[in-house]
Amino acid sequence: MAKEVNKDLQRERAKCDFNVEELTNFLDWGVKYTKIRRNLEQKVFSVKGLLDDIPDEYRSHKEKYENAVRKGVRLYRILQSLDDQSRSDEENVRVNFRNIISTAVFKDNSPFVLHMSMFVPTIIGQGTEEQKAYWVKRAKNMEIIGTYAQTELGHGTFIRGLETQAVYDVGTEEFVLNSPALSSYKWWPGGLGHTANYCVVMARLYIKDKSYGIHPFLVQIRDEETHMPLPGIKLGEIGAKLGYNTVNNGFLGFENHRIPRDRMLMKNAQVLKDGTFVGGSNSKLTYGTMVFVRVLIVNNMANLLSKAVTIAVRYSAVRRQSQLKPNEPEPQILDFVTQQHKLLIAIATCHAFFINAMWLWEVYFGVTKQLAKGNLENLPELHALACCMKPLTTMDSMYLVEKCRLACGGHGYMLSSNLPQTYGLVTAASTYEGENTVLLLQAARSLVKAWRLLAKGQKLKGSMAYLADNTTLKTWDGSVSGIIKSFQVVAIRKLSGVVANLDELQNSGLSPEEAWNKASVYLTVVSEAHGRATLLSVYKSEMDKRISTMSPPLKAVMNQLLELYAVYWALERLGDLLLYTPISKKDVAVLQGRYIDILEKIRPNAVGLVDAFDFRDEILNSALGAYDGRAYERLMEEAMKSPLNAEPVNDTFHKYLKPFMRGKL
Amino acid sequence: MAKEVNKDLQRERAKCDFNVEELTNFLDWGVKYTKIRRNLEQKVFSVKGLLDDIPDEYRSHKEKYENAVRKGVRLYRILQSLDDQSRSDEENVRVNFRNIISTAVFKDNSPFVLHMSMFVPTIIGQGTEEQKAYWVKRAKNMEIIGTYAQTELGHGTFIRGLETQAVYDVGTEEFVLNSPALSSYKWWPGGLGHTANYCVVMARLYIKDKSYGIHPFLVQIRDEETHMPLPGIKLGEIGAKLGYNTVNNGFLGFENHRIPRDRMLMKNAQVLKDGTFVGGSNSKLTYGTMVFVRVLIVNNMANLLSKAVTIAVRYSAVRRQSQLKPNEPEPQILDFVTQQHKLLIAIATCHAFFINAMWLWEVYFGVTKQLAKGNLENLPELHALACCMKPLTTMDSMYLVEKCRLACGGHGYMLSSNLPQTYGLVTAASTYEGENTVLLLQAARSLVKAWRLLAKGQKLKGSMAYLADNTTLKTWDGSVSGIIKSFQVVAIRKLSGVVANLDELQNSGLSPEEAWNKASVYLTVVSEAHGRATLLSVYKSEMDKRISTMSPPLKAVMNQLLELYAVYWALERLGDLLLYTPISKKDVAVLQGRYIDILEKIRPNAVGLVDAFDFRDEILNSALGAYDGRAYERLMEEAMKSPLNAEPVNDTFHKYLKPFMRGKL
């Protein structure tokens, strides 16, 4: 028998004034994709053994891994059976836009995660036709399990620093792999520890003592029959982490390990039998993959944050605490304006990120089509954009997921809330696929370059076009469009300021590199300003496009969220606005009042808005956030799953506590 | 044989231009206390079996608890043997000011933590002489193990909402304890799950159907012989959490559980045999304990943050990455100004917090002595101060520990860095002992009240005295004193603004409670502004006092850190300064340039500054932060401790992977 839904949640749902299903379809990028997603979830969760009876957090590190392998194998076969091979890349992106089933099955991720996401795509992208024919087939059949090893103990984002060596031996027509120092050990690849038996290894190629840069090599690392590491290969897992403990991240070192010549992936560069190096197509092509992964991240941040805010908003509707007025019942904590201040911006941010991700995907596929025709023109701008968006969306998500967790008080600290684990997943994204500060500085380099081109009379395109606008704002315009314009002005003024600063520092005698380093704090600030302006303007322009077919009640709510997002960020960046726009003290007070008014308007729809994210309880995986709102009951049910609670008296009483209390220990 | 210290760290230490030991003595509150602390650490760490060979993170949840009990018993006896009973409370605070041995032994904390920190003090504070004579003796001898149960599933910071009932039965002269709903179950007390056999329970007292408020009851919960929960008592642990997993936090419910009348702690209120209630001394007295705990927290934040920044700074001196200049070796990442921007403020913040904690302790002991003479006058102001300081120091620490972790890139995500666990400890403090937003609103209530008293011509004392200053700043003064003055003006202007806003809202027809709620976001901002002004001004004034006996080189560095702290926060609060002070655009640019210059000045002493925190490697517990700087070697050594690495091939290969790859699964 289904348990009754919490009365407060029932009331919240009754008063929601828009069609929740309509919003779900919008977020899924079309009603068709809602259907496909729900069907997939229904199928997966009807399979027994994929969800844990005893949560993973009670297992040892080793047991967690073993459990993940068991589930991973199972899940792979189910997904394989449901896979529709006829879908295009674009369609696949839409189908998976809001698919986070793996967070339900593993809480973090699968030990096979890099097989399909990095190993196979790298062979497809960098292998010759012959290599593809043989290896992609084996990999797709799962006859072998692969991973992708680039990062080393000593080098991450700075790829040129990689130290693993592949020295070509003309005599035997082999590459000899070596890890010349501990710092050159590969470190981090998922599945590398004990799962994969093949690996794409990025290594520095040497032919006759000359270095030819970093290239990909397909290396067998374990025996297919016994799974023992091959001779000359040192393997293991890197140990426990903040999150992703089921992923089996590993290390890998080589000692004179030899591989045949045909194991170098030779689509873009070749080593001929006699040691002749032929090579190297445009390195900009690899930008494509980097952009792809960073758009995926923006998308993923939207998914994880929407999960966290669903949990926090539902719990805030269920939790009653304190007194607003004497002699009245304790209010729902969602009625405290401070709580709305913490949570409603998180909802708006999810929408901003989902919509930016949709737009970025479209831009990405557009540029990819140009690429196929040999047109690389728009790639650098897209790359610069992705270098801004990835850091901003990961930083904001990190901050807001923690806001959501802390907004649940002590109970948010329980793993049964699933908020700490969600944070673990989100915060990793600040570091992987390009460390955030490094990316912001890369974006700044593009921006500074663009600014100098502009000075020479060149035109800028796409997301940088606004930089050419040199109108001065005469009066403050607090509309969303006005705030966007202000943010653009802020970015322009900061950029022009930092370029002047760079010139000044160089004129004072610093080298360009010293000047760059000295200005770097403010260079990251410039990229952030550019990213903020872009996020907000894309949110508005794309929403304007997409809103036209919505029903009037939903339109109203969407505009409220957009306004909330704009006003929130205007208040967060008040110092910038005061420095670079004509906003007055009075305007600031008006903006502050307006912010509170928008919170009040959105409040009645808060639960409807998170319901529209449409997470099944299996995916939320949260005692605090379940659809029925039985938060306290579920906290207790989850506590009872702890193996410590299986026995009333723990053995340590007899072994330690009793002798201790009797003074015998 | 000791391994060689990393060359970069050697160089850093050679160039440090102040006396590290002198600074250590200062931070320890005197050379005497450095000695005592080091002696204690030496004794504890020479005992075998207290530090783990296999880190706790590889154990199951149950094993972690069992390991903690084993170590806890051992540690207690050692500390007992080293305890000096002749020390005063003040001396004990100094002795323990920088003692965080327990984080080394448990990584989080002991299952006995509440026995000495809450159970015994509550009996001492609230028990009658007779009760104390009997129970304190038993507790101090560890014949019984106690904990303290206040928070319930349904109520935390809002104490008036507690639901556990103690109904006096005149017939039997007993109290009947009941948990009327699931939400009234006690939830969170450390050691309650399976460790403690006694508990102070805060419950609502009823005599003849009339409620007499919340009172403390001493309840036996487990049989002393068998450790079985007593009849009418439901007990267990609450399950896995973000951190503190060795603490054995538990739940507790009552079903008609009877205790004798003399188990109510009756110092402040009594229930006579016939059911007459006699009672209640000044409730302000309990403020004392709350203040005590919150000062402890400020102190503890300084300790945990200094641990995190020690790890991050040493690692940043060891890690080399990327290129600043072509054809030069990769620089230490500490040479990137963006990295200095992340880390040096964390060092300055530790000093700010240590010094504020020293000052707060002195204020606390001063007020306590007044209290002993019956003078309660200064207690409310101290309470308001603690209500600001606790949220600010916990929020800042949370933010900066994460900065430190992220500044270590991917390796900061490894548990062997000990940064994630440190975050787990720090972030809990945002919620426990008064949720931060609730505390900020309590402080705001005091501030608004003070403001209204001021309007009536009353004088304000202590930390609020500056509110009476109504001079307008005519010119910007960027000195540290000038920045303090500006921060005070900001706090005054914000407070006056929010009071006007409250009046306006009420004049527009809202009830006082509705107006308070509507203004609450800006009320928390007012408390924050007051807290910032206070933290900074105390840092300066106390440093000015204490600096006089320092050697000139140390003085110089201390002043640099103070200036960094002031300028950093001025830049962080630029919007406020632009709104409320005469700072100009040009002043802002000067301030920004100055900030980078201070970073440059402090950079050469960075490693010396963290060395001065004087953490033994056992306490840092970090592969990245050890004194010898062998970061990569230690990461690998730690990885090899993972039980998964004990065997080259995991069983799941035969069970799942091989059949899977052969298409048989």
Side-chain angles (χ1 to χ4, degrees):
Chain A
M1 200 188 72
K3 302 274 173 37
E4 202 192 353
V5 172
N6 172 283
K7 290 248 157 41
D8 284 319
L9 275 184
Q10 288 185 27
R11 251 191 305 273
E12 295 290 336
R13 284 168 182 144
K15 76 182 171 194
C16 173
D17 68 10
F18 67 91
N19 182 334
V20 170
E21 181 70 12
E22 188 187 353
L23 178 53
T24 300
N25 294 333
F26 170 70
L27 294 168
D28 277 323
W29 219 340
V31 59
K32 173 181 166 188
Y33 300 100
T34 301
K35 256 190 217 159
I36 296 175
R37 178 177 58 75
R38 284 186 185 155
N39 180 47
L40 184 71
E41 290 168 0
Q42 179 57 36
K43 293 255 166 72
V44 168
F45 294 128
S46 65
V47 174
K48 280 198 180 150
L50 277 186
L51 301 174
D52 296 323
D53 294 331
I54 293 175
D56 246 6
E57 48 257 32
Y58 296 110
R59 292 189 170 85
S60 74
H61 185 74
K62 191 174 170 206
E63 290 164 344
K64 279 178 201 165
Y65 168 66
E66 293 168 346
N67 191 31
V69 171
R70 179 187 64 77
K71 292 185 289 188
V73 162
R74 194 95 184 249
L75 180 63
Y76 184 86
R77 289 294 180 223
I78 298 160
L79 294 179
Q80 202 180 25
S81 73
L82 297 171
D83 194 27
D84 181 349
Q85 295 280 355
S86 70
R87 283 185 196 133
S88 68
D89 287 350
E90 275 109 318
E91 259 212 320
N92 265 326
V93 161
R94 288 185 175 219
V95 165
N96 289 305
F97 193 66
R98 295 194 55 250
N99 169 8
I100 48 170
I101 284 180
S102 77
T103 68
V105 175
F106 303 102
K107 282 210 181 168
D108 38 27
N109 218 326
S110 153
F112 305 139
V113 60
L114 289 193
H115 179 82
M116 292 307 288
S117 72
M118 293 291 291
F119 180 69
V120 173
T122 306
I123 303 174
I124 292 176
Q126 318 237 26
T128 62
E129 290 306 319
E130 203 181 349
Q131 287 174 323
K132 281 196 276 189
Y134 182 73
W135 293 109
V136 173
K137 192 176 152 235
R138 290 203 78 197
K140 284 207 169 170
N141 285 343
M142 294 303 274
E143 293 165 32
I144 58 175
I145 299 172
T147 181
Y148 177 91
Q150 178 173 304
T151 295
E152 298 172 355
L153 249 181
H155 289 90
T157 305
F158 182 65
I159 297 168
R160 276 180 295 156
L162 294 177
E163 298 174 272
T164 301
Q165 300 175 348
V167 179
Y168 186 63
D169 179 342
V170 187
T172 62
E173 296 180 8
E174 289 171 319
F175 295 103
V176 187
L177 298 177
N178 268 297
S179 307
L182 180 59
S183 57
S184 66
Y185 268 56
K186 297 295 177 187
W187 191 271
W188 279 116
L192 179 60
H194 299 83
T195 316
N197 50 11
Y198 281 81
C199 183
V200 169
V201 175
M202 299 303 286
R204 185 171 296 281
L205 170 67
Y206 290 89
I207 310 173
K208 295 168 192 157
D209 293 334
K210 192 181 159 201
S211 163
Y212 288 85
I214 308 293
H215 295 273
F217 299 83
L218 184 64
V219 185
Q220 181 177 356
I221 52 179
R222 287 178 179 271
D223 184 275
E224 289 191 28
E225 195 61 40
T226 65
H227 213 53
M228 283 294 289
L230 296 187
I233 284 184
K234 286 181 223 156
L235 265 183
E237 74 129 3
I238 62 172
K241 295 141 293 175
L242 200 168
Y244 284 103
N245 279 301
T246 54
V247 169
N248 195 224
N249 302 86
F251 65 80
L252 169 65
F254 297 105
E255 204 182 318
N256 291 320
H257 181 73
R258 289 175 168 263
I259 56 172
R261 188 182 63 94
D262 67 2
R263 294 294 172 89
M264 174 172 156
L265 293 176
M266 297 217 205
K267 178 178 170 190
N268 299 320
Q270 296 87 39
V271 175
L272 305 184
K273 285 186 182 175
D274 65 357
T276 309
F277 179 81
V278 183
S281 67
N282 199 318
S283 73
K284 278 185 186 166
L285 281 171
T286 58
Y287 278 10
T289 322
M290 285 198 271
V291 171
F292 177 85
V293 176
R294 284 168 199 164
V295 184
L296 257 187
I297 293 175
V298 175
N299 188 171
N300 195 31
M301 291 300 108
N303 276 314
L304 292 171
L305 179 57
S306 54
K307 205 166 151 173
V309 73
T310 301
I311 295 167
V313 166
R314 285 188 184 154
Y315 176 67
S316 299
V318 165
R319 173 87 166 175
R320 288 180 167 272
Q321 193 81 177
S322 190
Q323 275 186 316
L324 271 175
K325 300 181 191 179
N327 306 319
E328 285 198 5
E330 295 181 73
Q332 295 165 281
I333 58 175
L334 194 49
D335 283 331
F336 290 103
V337 176
T338 48
Q339 191 78 351
Q340 297 162 19
H341 173 52
K342 291 174 190 173
L343 300 181
L344 301 188
I345 182 61
I347 298 178
T349 303
C350 294
H351 284 239
F353 289 1
F354 274 127
I355 286 163
N356 270 274
M358 289 177 188
W359 174 78
L360 273 169
W361 279 125
E362 283 166 3
V363 174
Y364 170 78
F365 285 115
V367 172
T368 310
K369 272 165 204 155
Q370 293 172 351
L371 273 183
K373 293 177 198 153
N375 176 359
L376 303 179
E377 193 187 6
N378 291 314
L379 199 51
E381 184 242 321
L382 178 59
H383 180 245
L385 186 63
C387 283
C388 278
M389 295 294 221
K390 187 266 185 184
L392 259 64
T393 54
T394 53
M395 283 190 302
D396 290 355
S397 300
M398 208 180 127
Y399 177 76
L400 289 169
V401 168
E402 278 303 76
K403 274 255 170 210
C404 289
R405 182 178 68 74
L406 291 167
C408 295
H411 296 332
Y413 198 75
M414 303 289 312
L415 295 191
S416 56
S417 75
N418 203 13
L419 289 166
Q421 298 95 315
T422 305
Y423 181 68
L425 294 178
V426 167
T427 189
S430 285
T431 308
Y432 64 58
E433 294 299 330
E435 193 276 333
N436 278 353
T437 304
V438 176
L439 290 194
L440 287 174
L441 286 172
Q442 280 183 18
R445 211 171 274 283
S446 305
L447 287 165
V448 169
K449 200 171 149 192
W451 188 255
R452 297 203 192 275
L453 288 176
L454 203 59
K456 287 180 191 155
Q458 281 207 31
K459 282 200 175 147
L460 300 178
K461 285 211 232 172
S463 60
M464 289 190 191
Y466 77 90
L467 293 174
D469 186 354
N470 57 7
T471 52
T472 311
L473 298 178
K474 295 276 187 283
T475 52
W476 169 249
D477 172 3
S479 70
V480 174
S481 302
I483 292 172
I484 291 170
K485 188 73 214 136
S486 302
F487 271 40
Q488 291 176 337
V489 167
V490 167
I492 292 168
R493 298 287 298 275
K494 286 192 171 181
L495 177 53
S496 84
V498 91
V499 171
N501 188 219
L502 282 170
D503 291 343
E504 215 173 278
L505 289 167
Q506 286 192 55
N507 289 338
S508 78
L510 295 189
S511 70
E513 295 82 9
E514 287 163 343
W516 183 265
N517 190 23
K518 193 147 186 175
S520 58
V521 170
Y522 302 112
L523 284 162
T524 62
V525 168
V526 166
S527 295
E528 207 244 331
H530 171 65
R532 290 272 162 240
T534 310
L535 265 173
L536 181 55
S537 81
V538 169
Y539 182 13
K540 164 122 177 66
S541 61
E542 291 296 303
M543 188 53 100
D544 284 350
K545 266 193 241 165
R546 291 160 203 262
I547 211 169
S548 58
T549 54
M550 286 182 191
S551 65
L554 183 56
K555 247 183 220 176
V557 185
M558 292 299 94
N559 279 325
Q560 285 162 5
L561 286 177
L562 175 63
E563 190 185 355
L564 176 73
Y565 192 75
V567 172
Y568 175 92
W569 277 106
L571 289 171
E572 281 289 307
R573 290 293 175 268
L574 218 43
D576 292 339
L577 297 181
L578 287 162
L579 276 175
Y580 303 120
T581 78
I583 195 170
S584 69
K585 275 184 205 185
K586 222 183 132 186
D587 297 326
V588 172
V590 169
L591 210 57
Q592 287 172 333
R594 200 168 131 210
Y595 176 68
I596 304 299
D597 290 341
I598 313 170
L599 293 179
E600 200 170 343
K601 275 185 209 154
I602 298 174
R603 160 67 187 91
N605 284 320
V607 168
L609 282 165
V610 300
D611 280 353
F613 291 129
D614 195 33
F615 287 114
R616 289 174 63 116
D617 282 346
E618 292 94 335
I619 289 177
L620 275 186
N621 216 337
S622 170
L624 303 183
Y627 188 83
D628 63 13
R630 293 169 56 252
Y632 300 141
E633 292 88 338
R634 283 175 183 268
L635 278 171
M636 184 59 91
E637 287 160 18
E638 290 302 310
M640 294 316 293
K641 293 180 183 170
S642 166
L644 262 177
N645 285 331
E647 25 185 40
V649 177
N650 181 272
D651 277 353
T652 51
F653 170 70
H654 304 289
K655 215 162 157 187
Y656 301 110
L657 291 182
K658 195 170 174 181
F660 177 64
M661 286 190 276
R662 301 288 154 94
K664 289 173 187 159
L665 251 189
Chain B
M1 197 187 79
K3 303 275 172 34
E4 202 191 352
V5 172
N6 172 285
K7 289 249 157 43
D8 285 318
L9 274 184
Q10 289 184 27
R11 253 190 305 273
E12 295 290 338
R13 284 170 183 143
K15 76 183 170 193
C16 173
D17 69 10
F18 66 91
N19 182 335
V20 170
E21 181 70 13
E22 188 186 354
L23 179 51
T24 300
N25 294 334
F26 170 70
L27 293 169
D28 277 325
W29 219 340
V31 60
K32 172 180 167 191
Y33 299 100
T34 301
K35 257 191 215 155
I36 296 175
R37 179 177 57 75
R38 284 185 183 153
N39 180 48
L40 184 71
E41 290 168 0
Q42 181 56 38
K43 292 256 166 70
V44 168
F45 294 128
S46 65
V47 174
K48 279 196 181 151
L50 276 187
L51 300 174
D52 296 323
D53 295 329
I54 293 176
D56 246 6
E57 47 257 33
Y58 296 110
R59 292 190 170 85
S60 73
H61 184 74
K62 192 176 169 201
E63 289 164 346
K64 279 177 201 165
Y65 169 66
E66 292 168 347
N67 190 32
V69 171
R70 180 187 65 75
K71 291 185 291 188
V73 163
R74 193 95 181 246
L75 181 62
Y76 184 87
R77 288 295 179 222
I78 299 160
L79 294 179
Q80 202 180 25
S81 74
L82 297 171
D83 195 27
D84 181 348
Q85 294 282 354
S86 69
R87 283 182 197 136
S88 67
D89 287 350
E90 274 108 318
E91 260 212 323
N92 265 324
V93 161
R94 287 185 177 221
V95 165
N96 289 304
F97 193 66
R98 294 193 57 251
N99 168 10
I100 49 171
I101 285 179
S102 76
T103 69
V105 176
F106 303 101
K107 282 211 183 167
D108 39 28
N109 219 324
S110 152
F112 305 138
V113 60
L114 290 193
H115 179 82
M116 291 309 286
S117 71
M118 292 292 290
F119 180 68
V120 174
T122 307
I123 302 175
I124 292 175
Q126 316 238 25
T128 61
E129 290 307 319
E130 203 181 348
Q131 287 173 322
K132 283 196 274 189
Y134 183 74
W135 292 108
V136 173
K137 191 174 152 235
R138 290 202 77 195
K140 285 207 168 169
N141 285 344
M142 293 305 275
E143 293 165 32
I144 59 174
I145 300 172
T147 181
Y148 177 91
Q150 178 172 305
T151 295
E152 298 172 357
L153 251 180
H155 289 90
T157 305
F158 182 63
I159 298 169
R160 275 179 296 154
L162 295 178
E163 297 174 273
T164 301
Q165 299 174 348
V167 178
Y168 187 61
D169 180 342
V170 187
T172 63
E173 295 179 7
E174 290 171 319
F175 294 103
V176 188
L177 298 177
N178 267 296
S179 307
L182 180 59
S183 57
S184 67
Y185 267 57
K186 296 295 175 186
W187 190 271
W188 279 115
L192 179 61
H194 300 83
T195 316
N197 51 10
Y198 280 79
C199 183
V200 169
V201 175
M202 299 303 286
R204 185 171 295 280
L205 170 66
Y206 290 89
I207 309 172
K208 295 170 192 157
D209 293 336
K210 195 183 156 196
S211 162
Y212 288 84
I214 307 292
H215 295 273
F217 298 84
L218 183 64
V219 185
Q220 181 177 358
I221 52 178
R222 287 179 178 271
D223 184 275
E224 290 191 26
E225 193 60 39
T226 65
H227 212 54
M228 283 294 287
L230 296 186
I233 284 182
K234 286 180 225 158
L235 265 182
E237 72 130 2
I238 62 172
K241 294 141 292 174
L242 199 168
Y244 285 103
N245 280 301
T246 55
V247 169
N248 196 225
N249 302 86
F251 65 79
L252 169 62
F254 296 106
E255 204 183 318
N256 291 318
H257 181 74
R258 290 176 167 264
I259 56 172
R261 189 182 63 95
D262 67 2
R263 296 290 172 90
M264 174 172 156
L265 293 176
M266 296 216 204
K267 179 179 170 188
N268 299 317
Q270 298 86 40
V271 175
L272 306 185
K273 285 186 182 175
D274 65 355
T276 308
F277 179 81
V278 183
S281 67
N282 199 320
S283 72
K284 279 182 185 166
L285 281 171
T286 58
Y287 278 11
T289 321
M290 285 198 271
V291 170
F292 177 84
V293 176
R294 284 168 198 163
V295 183
L296 256 187
I297 292 175
V298 175
N299 188 171
N300 195 32
M301 291 301 107
N303 276 314
L304 292 171
L305 179 58
S306 53
K307 204 167 153 175
V309 74
T310 300
I311 296 167
V313 166
R314 287 190 184 152
Y315 176 66
S316 300
V318 164
R319 174 87 167 174
R320 288 180 168 271
Q321 194 79 178
S322 189
Q323 276 186 315
L324 270 176
K325 301 181 190 179
N327 308 319
E328 286 199 4
E330 295 181 75
Q332 296 165 279
I333 58 175
L334 195 49
D335 283 331
F336 290 102
V337 177
T338 47
Q339 191 79 352
Q340 296 161 19
H341 173 52
K342 290 174 191 174
L343 299 181
L344 300 188
I345 181 61
I347 298 178
T349 303
C350 294
H351 285 240
F353 289 1
F354 273 127
I355 286 163
N356 269 273
M358 289 177 188
W359 175 76
L360 272 170
W361 278 126
E362 284 166 2
V363 174
Y364 171 77
F365 285 116
V367 172
T368 311
K369 274 165 201 152
Q370 293 173 350
L371 272 183
K373 293 177 198 154
N375 176 359
L376 303 179
E377 196 188 4
N378 291 314
L379 199 50
E381 186 242 321
L382 178 58
H383 180 245
L385 187 63
C387 283
C388 278
M389 295 296 219
K390 186 265 183 183
L392 258 65
T393 54
T394 53
M395 283 190 303
D396 290 355
S397 302
M398 209 181 126
Y399 177 77
L400 289 170
V401 168
E402 278 303 75
K403 275 255 169 207
C404 290
R405 181 176 69 74
L406 291 166
C408 295
H411 297 331
Y413 197 75
M414 304 288 311
L415 294 192
S416 56
S417 75
N418 203 13
L419 290 166
Q421 299 93 316
T422 304
Y423 181 67
L425 294 177
V426 167
T427 190
S430 284
T431 309
Y432 64 57
E433 294 300 329
E435 193 276 334
N436 278 354
T437 305
V438 177
L439 290 193
L440 288 174
L441 286 172
Q442 280 183 18
R445 212 170 274 282
S446 305
L447 287 165
V448 169
K449 201 169 148 192
W451 189 255
R452 297 203 191 273
L453 287 176
L454 203 59
K456 288 180 192 156
Q458 281 208 29
K459 282 197 175 154
L460 299 178
K461 285 211 230 172
S463 60
M464 289 190 192
Y466 77 89
L467 294 174
D469 186 354
N470 57 7
T471 52
T472 312
L473 299 177
K474 294 273 186 284
T475 53
W476 170 248
D477 171 3
S479 70
V480 174
S481 302
I483 292 172
I484 292 169
K485 187 73 212 133
S486 301
F487 271 40
Q488 291 177 338
V489 167
V490 167
I492 291 168
R493 299 288 296 275
K494 285 194 172 181
L495 177 54
S496 84
V498 89
V499 172
N501 188 220
L502 281 170
D503 291 343
E504 215 174 276
L505 289 167
Q506 287 192 53
N507 289 338
S508 77
L510 295 188
S511 71
E513 295 82 10
E514 286 163 342
W516 184 265
N517 190 24
K518 194 148 188 176
S520 57
V521 170
Y522 302 112
L523 284 162
T524 62
V525 168
V526 166
S527 295
E528 207 244 331
H530 171 65
R532 290 273 162 240
T534 309
L535 265 174
L536 181 55
S537 80
V538 168
Y539 182 12
K540 163 122 177 68
S541 60
E542 291 295 303
M543 188 53 102
D544 284 350
K545 265 193 242 164
R546 291 160 203 262
I547 211 168
S548 58
T549 55
M550 287 182 191
S551 67
L554 183 56
K555 249 185 219 173
V557 185
M558 293 299 96
N559 279 325
Q560 285 162 4
L561 286 177
L562 174 62
E563 190 183 356
L564 176 73
Y565 193 75
V567 172
Y568 175 90
W569 277 105
L571 289 170
E572 281 289 306
R573 291 291 175 270
L574 217 45
D576 292 340
L577 297 182
L578 287 162
L579 277 176
Y580 302 120
T581 78
I583 195 170
S584 70
K585 275 183 207 188
K586 221 183 133 188
D587 297 327
V588 172
V590 169
L591 210 57
Q592 288 173 333
R594 197 168 134 210
Y595 176 68
I596 304 299
D597 291 339
I598 312 170
L599 293 180
E600 202 170 342
K601 276 186 210 155
I602 298 174
R603 161 67 187 90
N605 284 320
V607 168
L609 282 165
V610 301
D611 281 352
F613 291 130
D614 194 35
F615 288 112
R616 289 173 64 114
D617 282 347
E618 293 94 334
I619 288 177
L620 275 186
N621 215 336
S622 170
L624 303 183
Y627 188 84
D628 63 14
R630 294 170 56 253
Y632 300 140
E633 292 87 339
R634 284 176 183 268
L635 277 170
M636 185 59 91
E637 287 159 17
E638 289 302 310
M640 294 316 293
K641 292 180 184 170
S642 167
L644 262 176
N645 285 332
E647 25 184 40
V649 177
N650 181 271
D651 277 352
T652 51
F653 170 70
H654 304 289
K655 215 163 156 187
Y656 301 110
L657 291 181
K658 194 169 176 184
F660 176 64
M661 287 190 276
R662 301 288 154 96
K664 289 174 186 158
L665 249 189

